[in-house]
């Protein structure tokens, strides 16, 4: 029997044919270094790969349907089968900054990334058909597409989908530093 991650999920009449597996949870923070220290010390999570997402690697970025540029620092680690991501917005407008202003630091979104561009497009259409359009989107390098869906009114949390996570890229640093 295929696992949830291996099952192909299709959508029809507002329903998913199988559970969309959670691939990541993300927490928005004001200070990435402070958050890395706390999550590592308190929960033992790590090591963390830390990334600076900025143009030109971060490209084709949109906020509320309008082209825009933003930058962020992200840190990712595996906690079991789930990737945990810490995100600190840096420059430009983003849904991360909007969240911090409205809610403060904390859980921001759950990712249900899809293994192929076709499955990602099908998930995007499914949520659009349910009235959950795209809040923000972009690409990292040539392989990662991400988009955040306006699912908070319906699901009480923002969902992200697309085709991958930065955890598979080369980080700018690792926390805690290797000794």
């Amino acid at each position: 029997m295929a696992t949830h991650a291996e099952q192909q999920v299709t959508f029809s009449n507002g329903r998913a044919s199988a559970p969309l597996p959670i691939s990541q949870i993300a927490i928005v923070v004001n200070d990435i270094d402070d958050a890395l220290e706390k999550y590592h010390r308190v929960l033992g999570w790590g090591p963390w790969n830390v990334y600076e997402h900025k143009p030109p690697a971060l490209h084709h970025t949109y906020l509320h349907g309008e082209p825009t540029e933003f930058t962020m620092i992200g840190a990712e680690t595996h906690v079991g089968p789930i990737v945990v991501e810490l995100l600190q917005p840096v420059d430009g407008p983003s849904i991360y900054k909007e969240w911090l202003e409205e809610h403060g630091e904390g859980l921001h979104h759950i990712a249900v990334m899809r293994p192929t561009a076709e499955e990602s497009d099908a998930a995007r259409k499914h949520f659009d058909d349910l009235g959950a359009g795209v809040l923000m989107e972009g690409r990292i390098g040539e392989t990662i597409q991400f988009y955040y869906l306006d699912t908070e009114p319906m699901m009480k949390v923002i969902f992200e989908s697309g085709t991958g996570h930065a955890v598979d890229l080369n980080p700018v640093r690792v926390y805690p530093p290797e000794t």
Side-chain angles (χ1 to χ4, degrees):
M1 175 179 256
T3 67
H4 292 309
E6 296 168 336
Q7 287 180 331
Q8 182 165 0
V9 180
T10 59
F11 305 97
S12 178
N13 299 320
R15 295 185 179 276
S17 65
L20 278 170
I22 296 172
S23 55
Q24 177 192 75
I25 62 166
I27 300 149
V28 177
V29 301
N30 287 308
D31 182 330
I32 196 81
D33 293 315
D34 180 61
L36 287 166
E37 189 279 328
K38 286 179 185 171
Y39 278 85
H40 183 70
R41 177 176 42 85
V42 175
L43 299 172
W45 292 354
W48 295 86
N49 290 338
V50 181
Y51 308 92
E52 294 177 3
H53 300 300
K54 59 186 178 185
L58 177 63
H59 57 96
H60 290 90
T61 50
Y62 293 83
L63 177 64
H64 304 295
E66 298 294 322
T68 191
E69 284 192 5
F70 54 86
T71 63
M72 59 194 160
I73 300 171
E76 296 188 9
T77 191
H78 286 278
V79 179
I82 306 291
V83 174
V84 175
E85 178 180 46
L86 302 173
L87 285 168
Q88 175 191 321
V90 179
D91 292 317
S94 68
I95 61 171
Y96 318 128
K97 283 186 176 180
E98 293 171 358
W99 187 269
L100 285 170
E101 290 170 6
E102 188 173 334
H103 303 282
E105 293 183 304
L107 179 64
H108 182 260
H109 65 268
I110 297 172
V112 290
M113 301 307 261
R114 305 308 304 136
T116 68
E118 293 78 20
E119 288 179 79
S120 171
D121 291 344
R124 185 173 182 150
K125 181 181 180 325
H126 169 66
F127 282 100
D128 189 56
D129 289 348
L130 294 172
V134 174
L135 296 169
M136 187 171 85
E137 65 184 300
R139 298 186 70 83
I140 299 171
E142 298 306 313
T143 59
I144 298 173
Q145 171 201 20
F146 63 91
Y147 54 88
Y148 298 93
L149 299 155
D150 190 12
T151 52
E152 189 180 8
M154 173 181 23
M155 307 292 291
K156 307 306 180 207
V157 66
I158 295 170
F159 277 86
E160 176 190 18
S161 197
T163 57
H165 296 294
V167 76
D168 299 322
L169 301 175
N170 292 323
V172 294
R173 64 185 169 108
V174 174
Y175 182 90
E178 297 172 351
T179 55

